[in-house]
Structures are given as C-alpha cells and as structure tokens.
Amino acid sequence: MEGENHTEVLQFLLLGLSDDPKLQPLLCGVFLCMYLFTVLGNLLIIVAISSDSHLHTPMYFFLANLSFVDICFTSTTIPKMLVNVQAQSKNISYIGCLIQVYFFTIFVGMDNFLLTVMAYDRYVAICHPLYYTVVMNPRFCGILVLISWFIMFWVSLLHILLMRWLTFCVGTEIPHFFCELAQILKVACSDTLINNIFLYVATALLGMFPFMGILFSYSRIVSSLMRISSAGGKYKAFSTCGSHLSVVSLFYGTGLGVYLSSALTHSTLQNSVASVMYTLVTPMLNPFIYSLRNKDVKGALRGLLNLPASCL
C-alpha cells in the first residue's frame, strides 16, 4: 500500500484498558454503570433547570449547557468501548475513528469555553452586581455559547481535514480505548509535522487563553471580596463560586494528569487510566458537585422528584 492512501477501507484496533478476558465483564459493568450515572445525573440537572423558573438565570443557563456537553462528551467514546467489550472485538472503522476525533475535540473545547464563561458570569455578578442584568442579558449569553460552538466546529474540522492526508498501515493499533488525536498521530505511517504543529498551537491557544480568563476572573473576585468588611458577606458572595471552582479544579486537574502521564511515562495503561478520569469520571461527578453544593439546584431537584425537604 506504499504511496497510496487506503485509509477509506482501513480499520483500526483499539487496544482498550486490558487484554485479560476475565476482566472484560467487570470493566463492561463498571463503565456501563458510570456512563448511566453520567447521563442520568446531567439529564436531571438539565430538566431541573428547565422546569424551575427561579433557575432561568445566566449561571444556570451555562450549567445546563455544560451538562448537555458532558452527556455528549461521554457518549462519543464510552458506548463504542462497551460494544467492543461485549462483542469481544477491538475494531473501529476509519470513518468511525474520524467521527470520534471530531466530536471529542468539539466537546472537550466546549467544556473549556463554558467553564470560562461561567467564571466571567461570577466575576460580573460579584464585582459589578448593579450591571449584572444589563451585561449578562439572554442575548449576550446565547452569543457566547454560539461563538464557542462556532470556534470548536472549525478547529475540529481542520483537525479532520489534516488527518485525511495521513496514511496508515493495515492493522494499525491504537493504544487506547478510543480514538484520541494525539495517539492517532503517533501511529500514522506518513509525516505528521503539520498535524502536530496545529495540534500544539490549537491546544495552547484554546487551553491557555480560557484558563487565563478563569484565573483573571477569580483574581478580580478575590480582590473584590477583600474589600467586603463582614465575614458573612464574603461567604455569601463566594459561596456561589464554590461549585464552579470544584468543577474547574477537577477538569483542569485531570486534564493536566493526562498530559503529564503521556509526557512522563510510556505506559499505555497509565495513559488510559488517566484518560478515564478525564473523559468519564469528571462528567459523572459534575452533577453531584452542583447538586450537593448548590441549594437552588437541590431545591429544584427536590421539586422535580417530589422529595421531602430533608432529602438531598
């Protein structure tokens, strides 16, 4: 196949987390339960926010979008892995792999952008409360989300178009449980210089700028809180940021863990385990963080599920 691009008919082999056949049923059961918890938890957050008029505010609008993205994020990779484990197969088609890369890139970027605009929302609410309803109006909030989708649509599409120029050998093995772009570039049979340059530039720009935006927002928030004399006032103002800070720490912490495990170790198992934390554990925990730390969401969930006040 030298000199020709036969990627249209190729299948990749996803090596997954383990080759031990005795572990396959256990892995399938654990990942299925985690996936169902992720979908159900985030779906409950979306329904609770939609059904409670008190939660029709910018902060909860962004939270509902984050929950939707998290459902899509996990649905991009986990169902295919579960099907492969159940069928005792490691195959994924070339087109299927491209689709995974495309949507995975979009939803990772959307998580990043949504956490950033949520930090900006808290900054405006705490530092400029008198202008909050004017600045964070529904139209502006919608534009922020649409711009985020637009940017990630094109960035992800460019990744796919660049991948179409690559060639792969028959029986190419991907040492992962899903098609991760960085892993695919490592196993390509042709030159990946342009792909790697674009990957590093896009990751730097779309990772660092939102993160710096979050740091700036919270630096201004802390500076504003320091000027509040009463401890009760400080706690009340900062309590609205607690859930968001927890989710940001979890998202960037696991993302950093994936990067470090890939850079510092050549163990594919450690890389895959770190990716599980990033792709499944974080989206699964987000609804619990917001429901346990946020009295408004807890109240909406109690009303939705007809639970007494002592629950949740």
Side-chain angles (χ1 to χ4, degrees), residues 203-262:
T203 302
L205 293 178
L206 301 181
M208 288 305 300
F209 277 108
F211 183 66
M212 294 301 294
I214 292 174
L215 290 181
F216 172 79
S217 296
Y218 275 104
S219 67
R220 302 302 299 170
I221 289 172
V222 171
S223 176
S224 179
L225 292 179
M226 295 301 291
R227 294 194 291 268
I228 299 177
S229 57
S230 67
K234 291 180 180 179
Y235 175 78
K236 183 178 180 181
F238 197 73
S239 63
T240 61
C241 304
S243 300
H244 179 258
L245 267 178
S246 300
V247 172
V248 167
S249 301
L250 194 60
F251 179 79
Y252 284 101
T254 53
L256 182 62
V258 171
Y259 173 77
L260 291 178
S261 66
S262 176

Side-chain angles (χ1 to χ4, degrees), residues 279-301:
T279 58
L280 185 57
V281 175
T282 299
M284 182 183 70
L285 292 180
N286 285 355
F288 293 99
I289 292 172
Y290 273 101
S291 61
L292 293 176
R293 297 182 62 92
N294 191 300
K295 64 179 182 179
D296 294 327
V297 175
K298 284 196 288 187
L301 288 173

Side-chain angles (χ1 to χ4, degrees), residues 101-223:
V101 170
Y102 178 73
F103 286 107
F104 183 83
T105 305
I106 285 179
F107 296 131
V108 168
M110 283 302 301
D111 259 350
N112 202 17
F113 280 131
L114 286 172
L115 290 175
T116 305
V117 296
M118 290 170 80
Y120 178 71
D121 171 76
R122 292 298 83 207
Y123 157 71
V124 176
I126 293 174
C127 299
H128 305 284
L130 297 179
Y131 299 100
Y132 180 70
T133 55
V134 177
V135 175
M136 301 303 293
N137 60 76
R139 183 172 179 271
F140 181 64
C141 293
I143 289 174
L144 287 176
V145 174
L146 286 176
I147 289 175
S148 300
W149 281 107
F150 181 80
I151 292 173
M152 290 315 306
F153 170 83
W154 284 106
V155 169
S156 189
L157 184 61
L158 285 173
H159 278 304
I160 298 302
L161 292 176
L162 288 173
M163 278 184 64
R164 293 286 292 172
W165 289 95
L166 300 178
T167 57
F168 298 90
C169 302
V170 175
T172 296
E173 295 181 345
I174 300 174
H176 220 308
F177 64 91
F178 69 96
C179 289
E180 186 185 45
L181 180 58
Q183 295 293 338
I184 295 173
L185 296 183
K186 289 179 181 179
V187 298
C189 296
S190 54
D191 182 44
T192 59
L193 177 62
I194 296 177
N195 300 73
N196 281 313
I197 290 174
F198 182 67
L199 174 61
Y200 293 140
V201 171
T203 302
L205 293 178
L206 301 181
M208 288 305 300
F209 277 108
F211 183 66
M212 294 301 294
I214 292 174
L215 290 181
F216 172 79
S217 296
Y218 275 104
S219 67
R220 302 302 299 170
I221 289 172
V222 171
S223 176

